[in-house]
């Protein structure tokens, strides 16, 4: 995703604008994934209250104050807030470049508003989590919205590089139905993953463990079962693609999705059996974001749109 593609869009070519738009939408996707990693660091280190208020870090100060008694927590929380500011700037650039591109239809251009609106909403929710002392429902919803923004940002990448003609499916009706099931299972996997984390020792507050009053081991088994169901459906879809001669981007994107899923599952099992080390748990959160993006790219690969 590092090079500018030949965008299949416009009747009036503008290579410079296309290059900037492509860079912005890709940077937005990377930023949406990065904010999950930095937010995970805040949660896993119990730094959610490292800054005691919002939008300031401390009353009268927007930055942490360093002194001998200062812990690492304010700086971790402040670092996450700094990434949020950068992400707002990137999302604003996406909005300007996409919405004002009158070569594209409004059905595409309006998509450019979602990242900036989503990031602003997330910043407010992040502040609310501090003000309500890291209530687990707010913390969990904060992460799920981030996952949704990753999926949407990946879809914006898909739409930016394709045309605006009618969408033509590359697969049959049965495969399309199974892909919808795959998307539903993706949502289930992510939701159960949030519940598992909230039920365990890395719920966000060092002094309050197991903030969701459910059995962590039971929830872990349900989460694993949803992942295996996801893998089973994905394998069936890949078999159908192979049997029906669908090759190229749908096939390679599907294999990449399978690889991401298996790697994510491996990290999950290792972290569960090694006492949930912080580094592996945060890697698992990164994997969840990559999974959301990979599913989106796979869905986008199953159709074609000409300019």
């Amino acid at each position: 995703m590092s090079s500018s593609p030949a965008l299949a869009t416009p009747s009036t070519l503008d290579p410079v604008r296309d290059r900037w738009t492509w860079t912005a939408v890709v940077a937005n996707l990377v930023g949406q994934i990065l904010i999950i990693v930095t937010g995970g660091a805040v949660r896993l280190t119990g730094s959610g209250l490292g800054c005691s208020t919002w939008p300031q870090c401390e009353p009268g100060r927007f930055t942490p104050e360093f002194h001998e008694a200062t812990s690492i927590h304010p700086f971790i929380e402040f670092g996450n807030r700094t990434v949020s500011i950068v992400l707002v700037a990137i999302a604003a650039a996406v909005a300007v470049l996409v919405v004002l591109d009158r070569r594209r239809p409004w059905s595409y251009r309006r998509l450019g508003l979602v990242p900036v609106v989503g990031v602003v909403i997330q910043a407010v929710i992040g502040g609310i989590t501090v003000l309500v002392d890291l209530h687990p429902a707010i913390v969990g919803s904060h992460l799920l919205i981030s996952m949704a923004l990753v999926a949407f940002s990946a879809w914006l990448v898909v739409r930016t590089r394709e045309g605006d003609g009618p969408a033509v499916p590359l697969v049959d009706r049965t495969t399309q139905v199974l892909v919808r099931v795959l998307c539903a299972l993706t949502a289930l996997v992510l939701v159960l993953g949030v519940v598992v984390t909230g039920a365990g020792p890395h719920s966000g507050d060092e002094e309050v463990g197991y903030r969701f009053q459910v059995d962590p081991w039971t929830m872990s088994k349900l989460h694993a079962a949803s992942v295996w169901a996801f893998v089973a459906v994905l394998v069936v879809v890949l078999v159908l693609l192979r049997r029906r001669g669908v090759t190229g981007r749908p096939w390679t994107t599907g294999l990449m999705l399978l690889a991401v899923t298996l790697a994510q599952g491996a990290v999950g099992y290792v972290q569960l059996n090694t006492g949930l080390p912080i580094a592996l748990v945060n890697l698992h959160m990164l994997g969840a974001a990559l999974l959301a993006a990979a599913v989106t790219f796979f869905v986008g690969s199953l159709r074609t749109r000409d300019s």
Side-chain angles (χ1 to χ4, degrees):
M1 295 194 302
S2 59
S3 60
S4 176
L7 301 181
T9 52
S11 56
T12 304
L13 295 177
D14 188 344
V16 174
R17 186 190 186 98
D18 291 341
R19 189 178 303 114
W20 277 105
T21 300
W22 176 253
T23 300
V25 297
V26 172
N28 174 65
L29 173 59
V30 173
Q32 298 289 356
I33 294 173
L34 178 61
I35 198 69
I36 289 176
V37 176
T38 60
V42 170
R43 181 174 189 173
L44 295 169
T45 59
S47 301
L49 296 178
C51 290
S52 64
T53 188
W54 184 90
Q56 295 178 324
C57 185
E58 301 295 340
R61 294 181 60 91
F62 283 93
T63 59
E65 183 176 2
F66 182 79
H67 50 77
E68 291 184 359
T70 302
S71 70
I72 191 66
H73 299 314
F75 297 97
I76 295 176
E77 169 63 11
F78 180 71
N80 184 57
R81 293 186 183 190
T82 302
V83 173
S84 297
I85 294 172
V86 174
L87 188 53
V88 168
I90 295 172
V94 169
V96 171
L97 289 166
V98 172
V99 174
L100 297 183
D101 188 355
R102 297 189 178 277
R103 300 169 302 163
R104 306 290 298 264
W106 178 243
S107 60
Y108 164 75
R109 289 159 54 205
R110 65 186 179 187
L111 301 179
L113 295 172
V114 177
V116 67
V117 173
V119 170
V120 171
I121 291 174
Q122 279 290 76
V124 174
I125 294 175
I128 293 173
T129 62
V130 175
L131 300 177
V132 299
D133 294 329
L134 306 177
H135 189 285
I138 304 298
V139 174
S141 64
H142 195 40
L143 177 57
L144 288 175
I145 293 173
S146 285
M147 292 296 179
L149 284 172
V150 167
F152 181 87
S153 297
W155 187 251
L156 185 57
V157 171
V158 171
R159 283 293 290 118
T160 297
R161 70 181 304 171
E162 68 182 3
D164 296 311
V168 179
L170 298 175
V171 295
D172 61 286
R173 181 66 178 172
T174 299
T175 305
Q176 292 178 50
V177 171
L178 287 173
V179 170
R180 292 192 184 98
V181 173
L182 197 68
C183 292
L185 285 171
T186 304
L188 180 62
V189 167
L190 295 176
V191 169
L192 289 176
V194 167
V195 175
V196 169
T197 304
H202 297 310
S203 60
D205 189 335
E206 286 186 322
E207 298 178 0
V208 183
Y210 305 95
R211 292 166 65 88
F212 281 138
Q213 298 301 311
V214 292
D215 179 51
W217 184 248
T218 300
M219 294 310 304
S220 295
K221 289 190 287 187
L222 287 175
H223 179 54
S226 68
V227 173
W228 281 114
F230 178 94
V231 171
V233 174
L234 177 58
V235 168
V236 171
V237 170
L238 290 174
V239 169
L240 289 176
L241 292 180
R242 196 66 173 176
R243 286 183 176 179
R244 289 162 189 178
V246 180
T247 57
R249 195 157 62 95
W251 176 250
T252 55
T253 307
L255 290 179
M256 289 178 62
L257 173 57
L258 180 61
V260 169
T261 306
L262 294 177
Q264 175 72 338
V267 172
Y269 278 113
V270 172
Q271 70 167 11
L272 183 63
N273 290 284
T274 55
L276 300 174
I278 287 177
L280 281 182
V281 176
N282 208 15
L283 180 62
H284 200 50
M285 294 178 70
L286 169 62
L290 294 176
L291 178 68
V295 170
T296 305
F297 285 133
F298 181 54
V299 172
S301 74
L302 300 177
R303 67 179 194 172
T304 183
R305 298 181 75 151
D306 296 325
S307 56

